[in-house]
Amino acid sequence: MKLAMIGFGQAGGKIVDKFLEYDDRTGSGIVRSAVAVNTAKADLMGLDRIPQENRVLIGQSRVKGHGVGADNELGAEIAEEDIDEVQGAIDAIPVHEVDAFLIVAGMGGGTGSGGAPVLAKHLKRIYTEPVYGLGVLPGSDEGGIYTLNAARSFQTFVREVDNLMVFDNDSWRQSGESVESGYAEINDEIVRRFGILFGAGEINQGDEVAESVVDSSEIINTLSGGGVSTVGYAREEVDKTGSDDGGLLSRFTGGDEPEIDTAHTTNRITSLVRKAALGRLTLPCEIEGSERALLVLSGPPQHLNRKGIERGRKWLEEQTGSMEVRGGDYPVPESNFVASVILLAGVSNVPRIKELQQVAIEAQDNIEDIRSESEENLESLVEDDEDELEPLF
Ligand code: GDP
């Protein structure tokens, strides 16, 4: 499926940059246009692939290109004031060629946290194409203000987009790593999962032998209905020399390109589906109660089969309790892996969000206490005890 991607803030810009790299490397063709929006000039200059003319610096009169310093209310205000400048870059996108907009932002900071929901609201007013969000939650070690920003942005962003796909940095950070190298790995993980998901809808029926190719309308239908989504992933390396698939040769000698349906291929697929659903999700949650799901199996076509996908789909129906579980292939002949990607849409049992909100409320109370104390403290410092001194004016 073809997307117009807009990275808002530093994390958003870096992740969209990574999607462009992924597109170049794999030829998946999911990024039709890429735009970066920021209040910090240095962050825009640090990007590698987003074209210069698609990098929009907003809020220059307010913050002089220095960013909003994790103040997401200011981020939202600036986005509203300068929405015409953002629209200027979006005007250059051939919107009739895109299936949807994807706004990417870290929700703990200021620019993306405040600006992404503002842009979503604006785009939804103007275009009929779906507007999706990809929101990144901060690590719990980042501190109260980041948690508070994320909790407030999350509420607003979900309301303004057609679906909010969430990635939780907290479940993915690894101890002992520098923040930067940690983010590089995390961003690879984000792009791999969402790259396969959106890339699946970019294969045209008939391109490959696979018969049940995922179509972009299936991705759109799974995401429609709003709410919050999470993505699971698992993969296994396959032996492409032929000893592993038990029937590859027949494909070349048989003429009719029969679907290879070995028990091994089917079993591998069903176990990959389970691993993806029960392993680490981009936003950890209970999968039971998910409203809709989409299962994508990618890999060399001779290692994919209908039976495996059908079994995986049935299993997902049982586990989620949803009757709306779609599934299909994403044939990638040159790949050495069979991978399973599962999009769970409309999830509602997410302890991490409840915890985030709790910490955010505590941080909010704390900030208010400190502010009122600080007024008192300043007053008692500045005023003389007996009130004998008069200010100048
Ligand atoms: P902004 O520029 O004001 O929107 O703020 P940033 O995007 O710099 O940071 C917002 C949040 O995004 C941080 O609190 C981090 O949790 C997260 N973050 C920053 N950079 C990255 C990154 O490269 N990858 C990921 N996954 N998260 C990031």
Side-chain angles (χ1 to χ4, degrees):
M1 124 181 224
K2 289 231 180 292
L3 294 164
M5 289 194 186
I6 301 126
F8 219 121
Q10 188 184 18
K14 274 159 62 185
I15 293 167
V16 171
D17 228 41
K18 263 270 149 83
F19 270 113
L20 284 173
E21 183 199 308
Y22 174 87
D23 240 4
D24 272 1
R25 186 160 36 89
T26 64
S28 71
I30 55 178
V31 191
R32 178 61 189 84
S33 303
V35 171
V37 185
N38 214 316
T39 57
K41 197 172 180 188
D43 290 349
L44 286 178
M45 285 165 64
L47 299 170
D48 291 326
R49 297 185 184 241
I50 297 176
Q52 289 293 341
E53 66 275 17
N54 291 3
R55 302 181 191 184
V56 186
L57 182 64
I58 56 170
Q60 287 190 72
S61 60
R62 299 276 295 262
V63 300
K64 317 261 181 289
H66 298 309
V68 295
D71 180 346
N72 65 351
E73 287 186 11
L74 180 57
E77 260 175 53
I78 289 178
E80 266 175 25
E81 284 166 14
D82 288 357
I83 199 73
D84 291 345
E85 290 177 44
V86 183
Q87 182 60 43
I90 291 167
D91 279 339
I93 298 174
V95 176
H96 58 280
E97 287 180 25
V98 309
D99 296 302
F101 291 95
L102 181 69
I103 305 174
V104 188
M107 295 161 90
T111 303
S113 172
V118 171
L119 177 60
K121 187 175 184 176
H122 170 82
L123 293 178
K124 276 200 65 70
R125 249 195 323 234
I126 297 191
Y127 299 102
T128 52
E129 284 73 15
V131 177
Y132 302 130
L134 172 51
V136 178
L137 295 179
S140 54
D141 55 350
E142 287 188 54
I145 183 73
Y146 292 87
T147 305
L148 176 57
N149 284 348
R152 295 182 71 200
S153 178
F154 174 80
Q155 280 195 343
T156 325
F157 207 10
V158 174
R159 197 185 65 204
E160 299 302 336
V161 290
D162 287 295
N163 199 294
L164 181 64
M165 292 163 267
V166 179
F167 188 95
D168 182 15
N169 277 349
D170 200 50
S171 352
W172 289 87
R173 76 201 149 102
Q174 291 183 346
S175 53
E177 256 179 337
S178 75
V179 175
E180 268 317 303
S181 74
Y183 280 151
E185 277 185 34
I186 283 178
N187 293 351
D188 281 340
E189 187 71 40
I190 294 175
V191 166
R192 184 180 310 130
R193 291 180 177 221
F194 288 96
I196 294 176
L197 176 67
F198 293 122
E202 233 349 80
I203 296 270
N204 297 316
Q205 297 277 347
D207 270 7
E208 285 301 330
V209 287
E211 295 153 59
S212 49
V213 175
V214 173
D215 190 74
S216 54
S217 65
E218 289 175 291
I219 303 170
I220 290 172
N221 288 342
T222 306
L223 290 170
S224 76
V228 174
S229 296
T230 183
V231 174
Y233 171 80
R235 72 173 185 185
E236 195 178 305
E237 193 160 8
V238 290
D239 178 0
K240 291 176 81 184
T241 57
S243 58
D244 180 35
D245 58 43
L248 182 60
L249 275 180
S250 67
R251 182 159 174 248
F252 295 114
T253 52
D256 263 336
E257 300 217 353
E259 186 173 274
I260 296 159
D261 188 9
T262 63
H264 182 47
T265 301
T266 310
N267 289 342
R268 170 160 52 213
I269 292 173
T270 40
S271 97
L272 280 172
V273 171
R274 286 167 197 228
K275 278 189 198 156
L278 303 176
R280 204 163 10 159
L281 301 168
T282 57
L283 174 67
C285 67
E286 295 298 330
I287 68 171
E288 194 190 341
S290 306
E291 286 169 21
R292 299 166 305 279
L294 175 68
L295 164 64
V296 176
L297 255 297
S298 82
Q302 66 272 24
H303 290 286
L304 305 175
N305 73 25
R306 233 175 220 215
K307 197 164 163 192
I309 294 173
E310 222 16 68
R311 275 199 202 163
R313 224 180 46 74
K314 289 235 168 65
W315 180 84
L316 258 183
E317 274 184 2
E318 284 161 20
Q319 297 297 308
T320 57
S322 164
M323 297 312 287
E324 242 191 281
V325 180
R326 297 170 171 88
D329 294 347
Y330 175 13
V332 186
E334 62 279 10
S335 176
N336 292 321
F337 294 90
V338 171
S340 155
V341 169
I342 297 174
L343 169 67
L344 296 159
V347 295
S348 48
N349 191 346
V350 193
R352 166 74 173 123
I353 297 288
K354 291 293 134 196
E355 176 203 302
L356 183 94
Q357 288 167 338
Q358 202 49 47
V359 175
I361 292 165
E362 281 164 27
Q364 188 166 268
D365 292 348
N366 231 326
I367 290 166
E368 276 164 20
D369 287 351
I370 291 169
R371 274 200 192 131
S372 63
E373 259 177 47
S374 113
E375 274 168 34
E376 283 168 27
N377 292 345
L378 182 64
E379 199 173 300
S380 74
L381 170 71
V382 175
E383 300 296 326
D384 57 299
D385 289 344
E386 306 295 322
D387 217 7
E388 290 162 282
L389 300 172
E390 283 286 308
L392 269 179
F393 51 85

